[in-house]
Amino acid sequence: MTGRGGRPLALVIEDDLRYVRQLRADLAVGDFAAVFAGTGGQGLHEAISVAPDVVLLDLGLPDIEALSVFAQLRASCDAPVIAMSAREDDDGIAGALEAGIDDYLAKPFDLDQLLARLRAVLWRAPGAEVGAPPPFESDGLSVDFAGAEVTVGGRPVALSAAEFRLLRFLARNRDRVFRPAQLVEEVWGPEYAGDRHLTRVYVGRVREKIERDPGAPRHLVTRPGVGYMLRKHE
């Protein structure tokens, strides 16, 4: 972590003063250092200046389209990005997830939701996860639980924190079918129950990265009318 005084550092790009006040208080409770920017341009400048551990990005910025800000953030830093948007903005949230944003908060949110999302995207497996099972190996796909590394045909695959959590859960429960609602609760938590986007978007993104042909997956397969599973090929 690069935060001040040993605390993780959050960059908040938000122009609504109501949420700025809430986030300032909530992040302090969660023992985060924080830097605030009221525009996309200022946020991009701060990202280079302070090297944040995580970015909270409002999808309704006054100067630059938020997904453009996200693309430029990705070019300048590797911090995970959480989008923030009104609950009724389904299209905006879906577009953000499909663009590669790590997670999202639906406004209004409370302290527990905020800290749960921050903990999730900041999660990094330690060098040796206590009690970690041996790597999942199947037809060229390897999921190393202890090192939080994924390879396909021996080549490393870059997954976001949320993508890895999904793949890790399915790999640990190989050959078991899970309904979309089950995956949301297990991977993202009960506060996201009923979400229409998470499973579809993230299954698609993981397939793009681990499958030779994402349109005809061999690993992360669909059981029509039931759900998804990670198949183990001997």
Side-chain angles (χ1 to χ4, degrees), residues 13-16 38-40 56-67 69 83-86 89 92-93 96 107:
I13 308 176
E14 169 65 77
D15 67 313
D16 188 327
T39 66
L56 292 160
L57 174 64
D58 179 49
L59 292 183
L61 296 171
D63 60 333
I64 305 175
E65 203 273 328
L67 294 186
V69 174
M84 301 182 293
S85 185
D89 184 18
I93 291 169
K107 295 178 178 178

Side-chain angles (χ1 to χ4, degrees), residues 15 45 84 113 141 169 180 210-211 229:
D15 67 313
H45 173 79
M84 301 182 293
Q113 290 172 321
L141 171 66
F169 176 78
I210 70 170
E211 300 285 358
M229 65 179 246

Side-chain angles (χ1 to χ4, degrees), residues 175-216:
D175 295 323
R176 287 182 56 192
V177 181
F178 290 90
R179 299 189 309 275
Q182 287 178 293
L183 287 176
V184 168
E185 182 153 347
E186 293 286 349
V187 177
W188 285 274
E191 66 268 28
Y192 280 70
D195 188 284
R196 299 187 295 164
H197 307 298
L198 286 173
T199 304
R200 174 182 60 82
V201 169
Y202 278 98
V203 164
R205 282 168 54 180
V206 171
R207 281 175 172 164
E208 288 289 336
K209 296 180 178 182
I210 70 170
E211 300 285 358
R212 295 188 184 94
D213 179 2

Side-chain angles (χ1 to χ4, degrees), residues 121-133:
V121 299
L122 285 173
W123 177 87
R124 294 292 185 271
E129 183 180 331
V130 176

Side-chain angles (χ1 to χ4, degrees), residues 1-11 32-35 46-54 77-80 122:
M1 297 296 180
T2 60
R4 299 165 182 174
R7 295 179 295 162
L9 176 61
L11 170 60
F32 280 78
V35 173
E46 293 288 1
I48 295 172
S49 176
V50 304
D53 295 299
V54 62
C77 74
D78 60 1
L122 285 173

